[in-house]
Amino acid sequence: MTLEQAPRERLSGQLAEAVAEALRSDLAERDKVLLVVSGGSTPVPFLRALADMPLPWSRVEVTLADERWVAESDDDSNARLVREHLLRGEARQARFVPLTSEAATPEQGVAEVAERVSGLAWPASAVVLGMGGDGHTASLFPDSRELDLALSTAEPVVAVRTPSQPQPRISLSADRLHQAYRHFLHITGESKRDVLGKALAGDDTRALPIRAFLASPLGIYWAP
Ligand SMILES: O=C(O)[C@H](O)[C@@H](O)[C@H](O)[C@H](O)COP(=O)(O)O
């Protein structure tokens, strides 16, 4: 586990450099590489900095760690976030694979999304995780009734219903999120630093699902 700390904009640039280097390193050995990014608000400066990195973007596949089951036109769509902030300039050549389908619910769409996700260039070169104040990551929420399934299944994606979240979601499972050569955690603010500290001090993954990713190498990027 390594910890990088800097002002938010500089930290985002450092994380973008580290992820770009991971992709370049694997591209020297593989025809295609996969990057898994998270949604929410924290990743925006990171995604914008990564988009400016010189890479053979046509050989890069991008998907999400999780998604709200909404149309891409919805302000809450993570796919919209990726398209607006990462798929710009040369990075538009990347192959982006969203996690929603035309189905009305994630339960109806999960099989199609699972097949789509399974065809990507696993193991991912990098998975960039975020974390909520409740210790969730991706859509592995403490109050989700699918949490045990998401933490134990070998399936690549899980439909998630969570009382604390307004929309149904779909999430990569913990097993699939572990199928990566490198993991990064991008968080900001004192409160999330304190939640991470609490997560590091205990082992109940159901209480703080980020714990599912603290036992293996993790590059933590934190800004005040
Ligand atoms: O769809 C999502 O919301 C994300 O994938 C989620 O896991 C996110 O990383 C955390 O909720 C932190 O979100 P913020 O960066 O907005 O605090």
Side-chain angles (χ1 to χ4, degrees):
M1 198 165 294
T2 58
L3 174 64
E4 301 294 334
Q5 178 181 340
R8 294 190 182 192
E9 281 303 316
R10 182 140 48 92
L11 187 86
S12 296
Q14 290 170 349
L15 177 56
E17 291 280 0
V19 169
E21 183 47 40
L23 296 171
R24 279 190 208 101
S25 171
D26 292 350
L27 281 162
E29 310 290 332
R30 307 172 78 190
D31 179 48
K32 286 205 181 296
V33 294
L34 173 62
L35 168 63
V36 181
V37 296
S38 289
S41 55
T42 305
V44 171
F46 154 67
L47 295 173
R48 297 190 70 82
L50 183 60
D52 293 336
M53 294 287 154
L55 282 163
W57 282 104
S58 62
R59 295 169 55 204
V60 179
E61 297 177 336
V62 179
T63 196
L64 284 156
D66 69 329
E67 179 60 282
R68 300 83 183 276
W69 200 263
V70 296
E72 287 200 12
S73 56
D74 191 300
D75 287 345
D76 287 339
S77 165
N78 288 339
R80 175 174 175 169
L81 192 84
V82 170
R83 292 190 195 278
E84 284 182 1
H85 299 294
L86 177 59
L87 303 183
R88 304 179 302 111
E90 293 295 307
R92 290 166 65 123
Q93 298 173 60
R95 177 184 173 223
F96 173 54
V97 175
L99 296 189
T100 50
S101 72
E102 294 302 313
T105 69
E107 290 83 4
Q108 292 166 353
V110 69
E112 176 192 339
V113 175
E115 186 175 350
R116 190 191 308 162
V117 164
S118 299
L120 296 174
W122 300 99
S125 289
V127 167
V128 184
L129 296 171
M131 187 188 72
D134 59 357
H136 83 263
T137 192
S139 282
L140 310 180
F141 288 91
D143 59 332
S144 163
R145 60 169 183 262
E146 293 86 5
L147 179 61
D148 286 341
L149 175 66
L151 289 173
S152 60
T153 184
E155 289 298 315
V157 288
V158 177
V160 174
R161 301 275 173 165
T162 307
S164 63
Q165 301 301 315
Q167 306 107 353
R169 292 175 169 232
I170 188 164
S171 182
L172 295 191
S173 60
D175 175 77
R176 186 51 57 127
L177 286 166
H178 277 118
Q179 294 183 30
Y181 294 119
R182 303 163 194 83
H183 291 84
F184 299 93
L185 174 62
H186 185 198
I187 54 175
T188 59
E190 308 289 336
S191 61
K192 286 189 181 181
R193 183 201 60 192
D194 296 345
V195 171
L196 180 60
K198 185 179 172 190
L200 287 163
D203 56 11
D204 179 356
T205 303
R206 284 192 49 73
L208 293 171
I210 189 62
R211 284 175 170 152
F213 300 93
L214 300 184
S216 41
L218 180 67
I220 299 170
Y221 284 71
W222 175 77

